[in-house]
Amino acid sequence: MDQPFSDLKNISRRHFLYESAAGLGGVALSTLLGGCFGSKAKELSMDPMFPRVPHFPGKAKSVIYLHMAGAPSQFETFDFKPELQKLHNQLCPQSLLEGKKFAFIRGTPKMLGPQASFKQYGESRAWVSEHLPHLSTVVDELSFLHAVNTDQFNHAPAQLLVHTGTPRLGRPSIGSWVTYGLGTENSNLPGFVVLTSGGKTPDAGKSVWGSGFLPSVYQGVQCRSVGEPVLYLNDPEGIDRAMKKKTIDAINQVNQEHYKEFQDPETLTRINQYELAYRMQMSVPEVMNINTEPASIHELYGTKPGKASFANNCLLARKLVEQGVRFVQLFDWGWDSHGTDEALAIDYGLRNKCREIDRPITALLLDLKQRGLLDETLVVWGGEFGRTPMQENRENKTMPFLGRDHHVEAFTMWMAGGGIKKGGSWGETDEIGYYPTKGKVSLHDVQATILNQLGFDHEKLVYQFQGRPFRLTDVEGKVIQEIVS
Amino acid sequence: MGEVSSFFGRFHPILVHFPIGILWLAFVFELLSRTKKFKKVRFAVEPSLLIGACGAVFAALSGFLLSQEGGYEEKLLQNHQWLGIGTAIFSFLTYLFHRKTFLLKEKQRKRLRIIVFIPLMVLLIATGHLGGSMTHGEDFLTPNSAEGEELTKQVSFSKDSNFYKHIIAPLLEKKCYSCHNAKKQKGQLRLDEVEFILKGGKHGVVVKTANPTESELYKRLILPAEDEHHMPPKGRPQLTNNEVDVLYGWMEAGASFDKKISEFVDDKIVQYIESLKETSATVELDDTAIPELDAERMVELRAKGIIVMPLSQNTKFAKAFFINPATITDKEVELLTPFKQQLIQLKLTRTAISNSALKTLSTFGNLRSLELDYTAINDEAIDQLKELTKLERLNLVSTKVTDKGILVLAARPSLKEVFVFNTLVTKQAIVDFQKRNSKVSLDTGNYTLQTLASDTLVHKRKSK
């Protein structure tokens, strides 16, 4: 390429089309602000995280999404199946296997009865297993979805479907859609924060909090759970804050010029990120520091400062939401209970995982509640699919531990707060928890419901890309009115 | 030919307004010509009448063609038609009369002209009113009273009430009656009476109880929205999925007009009935009397880190919060005063306000939710809240509020939720509060979880 013309490559067809639609701010503002800012809208629109107006008054302002990566077993948590116990160790009938694809089950597996005892709790009489003794005290705050259905039986595509609405790469995640739609109320912090625990990040990688084709300013910011939450926040030696500010201003000026010339929305992203990073130097150490929390709070959550844990992340989630962060995503890895080893066993590892989340999640709900935050914060819990009522028999052999394979037909999720019905339940499965018998919902329905609670008509929250409008729920999704209060 | 004529006929709603305007203008000219200043306007009366009369003829013609399509109430249509034709003829007569009056003497002419004009105006008003009644419904001018009736109708049913009368009929009324009623029968179908529902329309019966999926009343609802046979037509309020389920369930159960509500146990129907009860209980916020948000001022405030924004699209009600709460003092709160009527939610969390900020807020009469958590306010501030008669939600977490302040709140009927975690409020005050006012959920927080043996129990396989 000739050097002087190389910059022209920057104006791709996409940017050209994009600009034709009046630029990033224009798009967002015209659709979401309803033009209420008049002539000065253009000025304000330079900030892509500017708070925006939803379609209708939403009950929830923020979302905390608790994703149990690996997919927790519904049979040892919330879906009580006494009939399955009676079938324990019997061979699985062929009718359940014909025409089905499993990740690992081969041949004819045996049925595996629930490896936990259940009791009913609260006024809602919800069944909860003995593995979650603390959560069972707050079931009246939750609404269960017992028949969530998916069509993906491998972790990565299934996680992508949960968070981006499609099993393939390239679409924006739900947190990105929400920050694109609503902006953020705290310009000193990212609008979309991701925290992981359990030793691994989700199988689908960073795409589950990626921004896809949305401007990259809307992607999730992953904070470290141990040590410094964000690296290199401190000023390097010999450079003070004033100096830093000058540097950033200079860089941004150059970027502004560049933006004026090429109109690339990604330049706006870059400008915004420099400014945000500068502000985060002050705000992040404060909000991400759980040491300043009183002992009673640490006791409630069971947190130990300095150690990476799901409990710490729950406490951080509350602090972030309290500061106006729009979407907090928590991934906890280690729920893939195949029975291949002790950590991934229904009878050992799963019980430990349940213990690790039980107290923190309960604490999170109670803590949000006592601060008046629960009615404006939507808490979502779930995995990417369910687990089979059959015992896994990888390569048609007996496994060293009790395990269950991936199950797509029906699994359990729950939501709480943010205008969700208290003590609700929707959906039922058959006697062995294989198929939904009532109230089957898709992940698109779940997504539509989350957007609905934030004040969005999921069919109208769209982004023009490659010549057509795209949306999180693709061409599907129905708000699950049964769990909306 | 039929298509051409009906195409022309559909211009009727556009064409009618032209002669109405012109004929009125002629009348106004006639009146004006009697003043000294506008004497010369009298020359405009005659051509105006001619143009208006020609317009009236076209309007009447197109109206006649439109009426051939059918679907309107016969009696209203007849009246409108004859009055319309009368108007056209009479406007011509008036025009001719005006031409002739030039032969008369000045004084006689003036009196006669006005006498001829008045019946024409009466005709115009009457025709226009009937036309409006046909398209918008007869209750168009006085809709409020009708809506009030509907609300009371919705709530008053019990298990033993007639299912059709209380569930199906109101649903049809809401979404279908406007085109299928006594006044207007699109597709020759009426849905407002049992006998007409059974009779069906142009394409035969609409309810086939033996096969609900084949019933027109169901089939057309689930056609793709773009399909020209889809009902309700594009641009009209559509049925929700749940409403479609209810209609289906009703037909599946035999489309009975006699069954009781309790005889329908299908989940979707039960859920719909529940939702009816709920919606009739919640009153939507009415912002008609509220002035528009001042956009320029919102932009100004934004520069100071004060965000005022509408609650959602299509409402004038707003919420306010701050970018850097720690820098917000009583002075900044005063800047919100221009929005005192629109503000419904105000978040003062972690701001540096004092009690006197509440004095400013006492004029914010529409506030529903006020968040004062982590501020330096105390009981004195609570006294200032008296004027906020619509306040439902009050967050006082981590403030200096004491028992005294809380007990003042017990007398507030609008309150629903108060958060007093981490304040100086004692347990005794909570008990007293609940005695005086049990409707308010008073959250004192301080939740703890039991320490269980299982909290620390790590499940491990016993070593062999």
Side-chain angles (χ1 to χ4, degrees):
Chain A
M1 266 305 148
D2 292 328
Q3 201 53 37
F5 296 110
S6 61
D7 273 358
L8 283 176
K9 288 187 297 181
N10 296 342
I11 311 177
S12 65
R13 181 183 56 100
R14 187 185 307 169
H15 297 152
F16 174 75
L17 287 172
Y18 201 92
E19 260 319 296
S20 314
L24 168 71
V27 171
L29 280 175
S30 61
T31 54
L32 296 160
L33 209 68
C36 73
F37 280 92
S39 58
K40 291 200 180 166
K42 195 81 188 171
E43 226 171 275
L44 297 175
S45 70
M46 291 292 277
D47 177 6
M49 296 305 265
F50 178 69
R52 282 179 289 271
V53 182
H55 299 134
F56 45 86
K59 295 266 172 68
K61 278 187 190 160
S62 354
V63 178
I64 298 177
Y65 199 116
L66 310 167
H67 189 119
M68 308 296 110
S73 165
Q74 69 275 30
F75 297 108
E76 278 76 28
T77 49
F78 302 111
D79 204 9
F80 178 48
K81 293 294 152 194
E83 282 299 312
L84 185 59
Q85 193 65 60
K86 294 178 194 157
L87 298 169
H88 183 63
N89 258 341
Q90 291 181 26
L91 282 178
C92 175
Q94 284 305 314
S95 60
L96 296 182
L97 303 171
E98 274 161 17
K100 296 278 184 236
K101 275 185 182 170
F102 294 97
F104 294 104
I105 284 179
R106 299 290 179 268
T108 309
K110 285 176 180 163
M111 304 307 286
L112 176 61
Q115 299 299 303
S117 66
F118 278 74
K119 259 195 222 158
Q120 281 178 297
Y121 296 92
E123 277 174 36
S124 56
R125 308 311 297 148
W127 290 98
V128 182
S129 98
E130 57 176 332
H131 297 341
L132 300 163
H134 293 296
L135 196 66
S136 62
T137 62
V138 293
V139 283
D140 286 341
E141 295 290 335
L142 316 179
S143 254
F144 289 96
L145 293 170
H146 280 302
V148 187
N149 176 273
T150 179
D151 56 7
Q152 296 298 318
F153 62 83
N154 279 316
H155 296 289
Q159 286 165 358
L160 285 171
L161 181 60
V162 171
H163 294 283
T164 73
T166 169
R168 276 159 287 282
L169 292 165
R171 296 280 180 88
S173 59
I174 184 164
S176 300
W177 278 111
V178 170
T179 38
Y180 159 70
L182 283 179
T184 178
E185 294 192 2
N186 187 335
S187 51
N188 302 329
L189 287 169
F192 176 16
V193 176
V194 181
L195 299 163
T196 62
S197 57
K200 277 193 198 176
T201 48
D203 304 66
K206 293 177 167 43
S207 295
V208 282
W209 57 84
S211 57
F213 43 69
L214 289 177
S216 48
V217 68
Y218 300 116
Q219 74 186 334
V221 174
Q222 187 189 357
C223 291
R224 290 150 38 101
S225 316
V226 75
E228 280 185 53
V230 178
L231 289 176
Y232 314 119
L233 269 184
N234 294 332
D235 293 321
E237 243 176 85
I239 294 190
D240 62 6
R241 207 160 152 73
M243 175 77 161
K244 185 96 154 211
K245 179 74 184 148
K246 272 187 187 170
T247 316
I248 288 170
D249 284 346
I251 295 168
N252 278 351
Q253 211 176 340
V254 175
N255 280 336
Q256 292 278 11
E257 294 298 320
H258 194 266
Y259 178 71
K260 270 181 206 150
E261 206 171 338
F262 300 106
Q263 304 281 308
D264 184 345
E266 289 302 313
T267 315
L268 279 186
T269 298
R270 180 57 67 93
I271 295 169
N272 182 275
Q273 299 297 56
Y274 271 117
E275 284 172 354
L276 177 62
Y278 177 75
R279 292 191 300 263
M280 274 167 65
Q281 284 190 299
M282 303 296 280
S283 58
V284 165
E286 190 191 314
V287 70
M288 298 297 280
N289 180 6
I290 59 170
N291 294 328
T292 51
E293 290 289 318
S296 58
I297 290 295
H298 283 302
E299 203 188 310
L300 184 67
Y301 282 84
T303 38
K304 293 191 183 72
K307 269 180 80 182
S309 71
F310 180 75
N312 287 14
N313 288 354
C314 279
L315 178 51
L316 284 173
R318 184 219 90 204
K319 285 176 67 98
L320 289 165
V321 161
E322 202 174 26
Q323 295 292 332
V325 172
R326 193 66 76 183
F327 206 101
V328 184
Q329 226 175 24
L330 262 55
F331 285 96
D332 185 50
W333 197 87
W335 293 85
D336 198 13
S337 314
H338 284 288
T340 43
D341 59 35
E342 197 171 313
L344 296 180
I346 288 287
D347 37 352
Y348 295 99
L350 178 69
R351 295 167 80 170
N352 290 328
K353 287 310 288 183
C354 284
R355 187 198 64 243
E356 282 170 32
I357 65 155
D358 181 31
R359 194 177 183 106
I361 291 181
T362 315
L364 174 63
L365 294 171
L366 291 174
D367 199 14
L368 288 172
K369 193 176 168 193
Q370 70 185 352
R371 285 162 208 271
L373 290 168
L374 187 57
D375 39 11
E376 55 190 46
T377 306
L378 176 63
V379 182
V380 186
W381 181 94
E384 58 265 30
F385 36 63
R387 306 211 76 92
T388 53
M390 295 87 83
Q391 183 176 354
E392 184 164 326
N393 60 344
R394 198 169 285 204
E395 290 160 20
N396 217 351
K397 285 176 194 156
T398 313
M399 312 280 292
F401 293 88
L402 292 182
R404 297 183 187 275
D405 201 357
H406 307 166
H407 187 59
V408 296
E409 306 291 346
F411 62 103
T412 300
M413 290 180 76
W414 57 254
M415 296 193 200
I420 291 291
K421 194 181 274 180
K422 290 180 181 193
S425 175
W426 180 240
E428 282 169 20
T429 53
D430 57 26
E431 288 175 334
I432 57 163
Y434 199 92
Y435 289 113
T437 50
K438 184 184 139 183
K440 174 175 160 182
V441 295
S442 71
L443 288 164
H444 289 122
D445 297 338
V446 173
Q447 291 155 353
T449 310
I450 295 173
L451 292 183
N452 179 69
Q453 295 314 93
L454 290 158
F456 288 111
D457 177 345
H458 69 104
E459 293 183 0
K460 290 192 190 138
L461 183 64
V462 295
Y463 187 83
Q464 199 71 23
F465 175 64
Q466 287 183 338
R468 74 160 172 99
F470 277 83
R471 56 180 230 230
L472 172 64
T473 50
D474 201 2
V475 294
E476 288 164 70
K478 251 165 77 178
V479 176
I480 310 165
Q481 297 292 354
E482 288 81 359
I483 60 161
V484 173
S485 74
Chain B
M1 186 59 205
E3 267 179 33
V4 177
S5 67
S6 76
F7 175 75
F8 184 64
R10 282 176 201 169
F11 278 91
H12 181 66
I14 300 168
L15 287 175
V16 287
H17 299 98
F18 178 74
I20 294 175
I22 297 291
L23 290 172
W24 268 100
L25 190 65
F27 182 55
V28 172
F29 282 161
E30 177 62 43
L31 292 179
L32 282 175
S33 70
R34 282 144 208 271
T35 64
K36 247 191 191 147
K37 198 176 168 193
F38 291 107
K39 213 174 166 191
K40 286 185 179 162
V41 171
R42 72 170 197 273
F43 299 112
V45 176
E46 200 190 302
S48 302
L49 271 171
L50 179 62
I51 298 169
C54 291
V57 170
F58 276 108
L61 256 175
S62 61
F64 180 75
L65 292 174
L66 183 68
S67 71
Q68 299 303 303
E69 270 191 45
Y72 298 97
E73 196 221 10
E74 203 60 19
K75 208 175 149 223
L76 262 180
L77 178 68
Q78 288 274 329
N79 290 341
H80 178 67
Q81 183 179 325
W82 288 116
L83 281 173
I85 292 169
T87 310
I89 294 170
F90 213 83
S91 52
F92 257 105
L93 287 176
T94 314
Y95 162 71
L96 290 172
F97 183 78
H98 267 246
R99 284 188 58 146
K100 295 288 180 206
T101 51
F102 274 94
L103 305 171
L104 294 170
K105 274 184 196 156
E106 171 86 14
K107 218 177 177 184
Q108 278 177 307
R109 192 174 75 200
K110 271 190 177 172
R111 196 178 300 153
L112 267 174
R113 275 181 160 193
I114 221 67
I115 289 172
V116 177
F117 241 119
I118 284 169
L120 177 62
M121 291 301 111
V122 173
L123 266 177
L124 261 184
I125 293 170
T127 318
H129 175 70
L130 288 179
S133 296
M134 275 172 23
T135 41
H136 303 295
E138 275 186 297
D139 55 355
F140 184 65
L141 286 176
T142 50
N144 288 333
S145 53
E147 266 173 26
E149 268 169 41
E150 193 189 2
L151 259 180
T152 47
K153 219 190 293 175
Q154 272 191 350
V155 212
S156 60
F157 57 75
S158 69
K159 271 183 176 175
D160 296 324
S161 306
N162 180 301
F163 184 77
Y164 169 75
K165 200 176 142 202
H166 289 93
I167 306 298
I168 297 295
L171 198 169
L172 296 175
E173 183 180 357
K174 202 164 61 177
K175 302 283 168 79
C176 316
Y177 279 12
S178 63
C179 296
H180 302 291
N181 61 24
K183 315 259 151 47
K184 194 169 168 185
Q185 296 102 32
K186 288 285 180 194
Q188 292 161 26
L189 176 68
R190 267 181 78 171
L191 292 171
D192 55 337
E193 299 281 345
V194 175
E195 56 173 313
F196 296 113
I197 294 177
L198 294 172
K199 193 175 136 211
K202 198 158 74 179
H203 303 288
V205 290
V206 290
V207 179
K208 292 180 188 163
T209 50
N211 198 352
T213 45
E214 282 302 308
S215 296
E216 291 284 328
L217 194 54
Y218 173 73
K219 238 164 74 179
R220 283 175 179 250
L221 303 178
I222 57 162
L223 281 173
E226 307 82 52
D227 194 298
E228 65 168 313
H229 299 295
H230 175 83
M231 282 291 146
K234 232 179 187 172
R236 294 280 179 163
Q238 297 293 312
L239 276 81
T240 65
N241 289 324
N242 199 205
E243 285 170 339
V244 175
D245 292 336
V246 168
L247 270 181
Y248 182 84
W250 172 65
M251 285 189 259
E252 200 181 27
S256 160
F257 298 97
D258 308 314
K259 281 191 180 172
K260 289 175 188 168
I261 287 180
S262 55
E263 290 176 66
F264 289 84
V265 289
D266 182 87
D267 279 327
K268 282 171 178 165
I269 294 181
V270 172
Q271 181 206 331
Y272 178 75
I273 294 171
E274 286 301 312
S275 74
L276 279 186
K277 286 178 190 159
E278 276 165 28
T279 46
S280 55
T282 54
V283 183
E284 281 289 308
L285 290 176
D286 181 14
D287 67 351
T288 40
I290 303 294
E292 293 285 341
L293 285 160
D294 182 344
E296 286 292 316
R297 192 159 257 147
M298 282 157 80
V299 176
E300 274 168 38
L301 289 187
R302 157 113 179 118
K304 297 188 171 81
I306 305 168
I307 311 283
V308 177
M309 58 194 286
L311 273 189
S312 72
Q313 292 172 20
N314 308 321
T315 177
K316 293 179 229 162
F317 285 122
K319 61 177 175 182
F321 56 92
F322 308 94
I323 294 286
N324 289 306
T327 63
I328 301 302
T329 63
D330 299 348
K331 216 175 75 208
E332 278 78 23
V333 175
E334 268 171 48
L335 295 174
L336 291 171
T337 314
F339 299 100
K340 63 180 178 186
Q341 289 190 66
Q342 294 99 342
L343 278 179
I344 282 220
Q345 295 175 6
L346 177 57
K347 188 181 175 80
L348 287 160
T349 308
R350 288 173 210 274
T351 54
I353 56 158
S354 72
N355 287 335
S356 40
L358 274 294
K359 202 167 211 168
T360 315
L361 294 184
S362 63
T363 57
F364 288 44
N366 280 322
L367 269 184
R368 304 292 202 279
S369 166
L370 181 58
E371 288 170 279
L372 298 168
D373 42 331
Y374 303 96
T375 58
I377 60 126
N378 57 31
D379 293 348
E380 238 173 86
I382 304 285
D383 290 334
Q384 304 279 357
L385 296 175
K386 249 177 281 172
E387 310 293 323
L388 305 181
T389 51
K390 289 176 182 160
L391 194 66
E392 293 172 0
R393 196 168 170 276
L394 182 61
N395 194 333
L396 298 170
V397 170
S398 291
T399 56
K400 302 255 155 40
V401 173
T402 69
D403 296 354
K404 201 174 128 248
I406 286 304
L407 291 171
V408 169
L409 288 173
R412 304 292 306 278
S414 64
L415 269 183
K416 288 180 184 160
E417 281 178 300
V418 182
F419 300 92
V420 288
F421 168 55
N422 211 5
T423 57
L424 303 168
V425 177
T426 62
K427 275 184 188 154
Q428 186 52 45
I430 305 292
V431 175
D432 290 347
F433 185 102
Q434 301 287 8
K435 261 186 220 157
R436 290 189 209 179
N437 187 341
S438 56
K439 280 183 195 151
V440 176
S441 120
L442 195 62
D443 199 326
T444 53
N446 270 327
Y447 298 115
T448 52
L449 288 174
Q450 268 182 292
T451 308
L452 302 175
S454 59
D455 287 350
T456 46
L457 182 68
V458 178
H459 297 273
K460 262 189 185 164
R461 183 144 72 162
K462 283 168 198 128
S463 49
K464 285 170 193 166

